[in-house]
Amino acid sequence: MAPFNLMITLVIVPFLFSSIVSGYSLSDIKKWCSQTPNPTPCEYYLSNNAFNKPIKNKSDFLKVSLQLALDRAQKGQENTHSLGPKCRNSQERAAWADCIELYEYTIQKLNKTIDPNTKCTEVDAQTWLSTALTNLQTCKEGFYDLGVSDYVLPLLSNNVTKLISNTLSLNKVPDQQQSYKDGFPTWVKPGDRKLLQSSSAASKANVVVAKDGSGKYTTIKAAIDAAPKSSSTRYIIYVKTGTYNEQVEISGKNIMLVGDGIGKTIITGSKSVGGGSTTFKSATVAAVGDGFIAQDITIRNTAGATNHQAVALRSGSDLSVFYKCSLEGYQDTLYVHSERQFYRECDIYGTVDFIFGNAAVVIQNCNIYARTPPQKTITVTAQGRTDSNQNTGIIIHNSKVTGASGFSSTSVKSYLGRPWKEYSRTVFMKTYLDSLINPAGWMEWDGNFALNTLYYAEYANTGPGSSTANRVTWKGYHVLTTTSQASPFTVGNFIAGSSWLPATGVPFTSGL
């Protein structure tokens, strides 16, 4: 993400509240709300809601706080809908449309967390609440993307985000307890375990896409549109060799796209912020439905290095996996937007912030290739954690960071990352760092912003760019020297991969 340094004027429009007074005493409200990072909106909304649910313990208070956040999100969604006719131009309408979609996703996540039938773990809940907060931040970012600096949006009030932050604080899970009872997320069936290697996945395909007409569909979008919206078993779409120039969004659950290999099955697009799209909607492929898998496919954005943000792949799919894929772009190539994600044996190409977002993601055994940027500065990552209680971060493990074919390091400065948001968290572990990496390792975003609150770390990296002798001296930067320090960021701990990755058939290393 590139900084725009624009100021949006926020006008907080007062909401109309019920005249029914809360069933809680003022002293009870103050006592419970004082335990949150944002007590003022907690007290205000709790005082102005007709809840009569008793609050006897922290668990009861979390349930009430979740309901408060959901109520305000639903009100925010209503306000957002009402603003549609007031959009003055295509830029405002594009950003507004993102917000409509993102509010819907936020409400879905809050409902899923509250629903007693979901039987989610604390880790599930923390993930979904982290996503709910990220969605609202992304809504705001769309207006920055398109330079809409004077648009008045009640939905940009901090009320909803502060209430969600409160629930994140109340539900917080210790870093090394990212695990599941009985070893499996409650909503994933162990019986779904299948070995989905390339040949077997293609042979088990539910439908075939082929440009030459030899399959059921000639476009990927047609196959996606016809796929079930929610399948209890894996629904496999085999995409034969060819270049598919289309924008694809996968909203169904448990869908897999499998191709004939990198450079053979290619999905390509060219939307960009420079071309009038928001970053969110510039993605050539966007995965939204949970449990998505992509394998043996190249995904490109060809907008070029001068068109600003131009996403090849965006994933907001929980428990999504990308195996033996090539993700090719320039600025903002891979948007690890939200939820839990895993990348294995992928190639990732870009220039500026080309792995960015706010998912809980591990990138393992991958090749990360820097391309020559016009602005002579490369930043591999830009992680977007806005709340210290979000269980998100970008972890790069046992991978390789080097220049792409034709890359020239002359007069180019390359960095491992920069803090897009206040609590940005990125860790490089056991990764080969080539000589292109600047001795400082990391780059500021804007002056001293986030340098004390970010968490950047390196552990047992190798290669000519791996020396930490002259690294930045920020308070938030750490050189990890023991396995106990690094273990919270492994596949097994950070995304509890041992409990759900076996079902995908994709190889992974659980520990260091």
Side-chain angles (χ1 to χ4, degrees), residues 307-337:
N307 262 318
H308 308 298
Q309 299 95 319
V311 175
L313 169 68
R314 164 171 57 87
S315 180
S317 165
D318 200 13
L319 309 187
S320 55
V321 175
F322 302 86
Y323 179 45
K324 292 186 176 179
C325 292
S326 184
L327 311 172
E328 303 173 7
Y330 294 88
Q331 182 173 338
D332 289 14
T333 302
L334 172 56
Y335 195 173
V336 289
H337 181 266

Side-chain angles (χ1 to χ4, degrees), residues 177-199:
Q177 292 183 15
Q178 304 282 313
S179 58
Y180 296 94
K181 185 180 179 181
D182 301 325
F184 229 79
T186 55
W187 51 283
V188 175
K189 299 178 181 177
D192 288 346
R193 292 172 182 260
K194 288 185 175 70
L195 185 63
L196 295 178
Q197 300 305 324
S198 184
S199 58

Side-chain angles (χ1 to χ4, degrees), residues 34-83:
S34 67
Q35 300 178 32
T36 70
N38 302 293
T40 301
C42 172
E43 291 176 12
Y44 182 79
Y45 290 110
L46 201 54
S47 299
N48 284 277
N49 274 278
F51 290 145
N52 288 305
K53 300 174 184 176
I55 302 179
K56 297 178 180 178
N57 50 44
K58 187 177 178 180
S59 177
D60 291 338
F61 183 48
L62 173 59
K63 290 175 184 176
V64 170
S65 298
L66 284 166
Q67 190 62 52
L68 280 178
L70 176 60
D71 290 350
R72 301 322 306 161
Q74 289 170 331
K75 184 64 179 178
Q77 184 185 42
E78 292 173 15
N79 291 338
T80 305
H81 271 287
S82 70
L83 289 166

Side-chain angles (χ1 to χ4, degrees), residues 272-277 306-309:
S272 67
V273 169
S277 172
T306 60
N307 262 318
H308 308 298
Q309 299 95 319

Side-chain angles (χ1 to χ4, degrees), residues 307-388:
N307 262 318
H308 308 298
Q309 299 95 319
V311 175
L313 169 68
R314 164 171 57 87
S315 180
S317 165
D318 200 13
L319 309 187
S320 55
V321 175
F322 302 86
Y323 179 45
K324 292 186 176 179
C325 292
S326 184
L327 311 172
E328 303 173 7
Y330 294 88
Q331 182 173 338
D332 289 14
T333 302
L334 172 56
Y335 195 173
V336 289
H337 181 266
S338 53
E339 306 284 11
R340 291 162 285 195
Q341 306 180 26
F342 179 66
Y343 294 74
R344 174 82 178 200
E345 295 171 42
C346 291
D347 297 335
I348 307 166
Y349 295 80
T351 54
V352 176
D353 305 340
F354 62 97
I355 302 171
F356 78 109
N358 196 26
V361 57
V362 178
I363 295 170
Q364 188 176 81
N365 291 44
C366 291
N367 295 310
I368 298 169
Y369 294 115
R371 289 175 152 174
T372 306
Q375 62 275 67
K376 304 301 182 185
T377 301
I378 289 168
T379 44
V380 176
T381 67
Q383 205 281 330
R385 193 166 63 138
T386 60
D387 188 296
S388 62

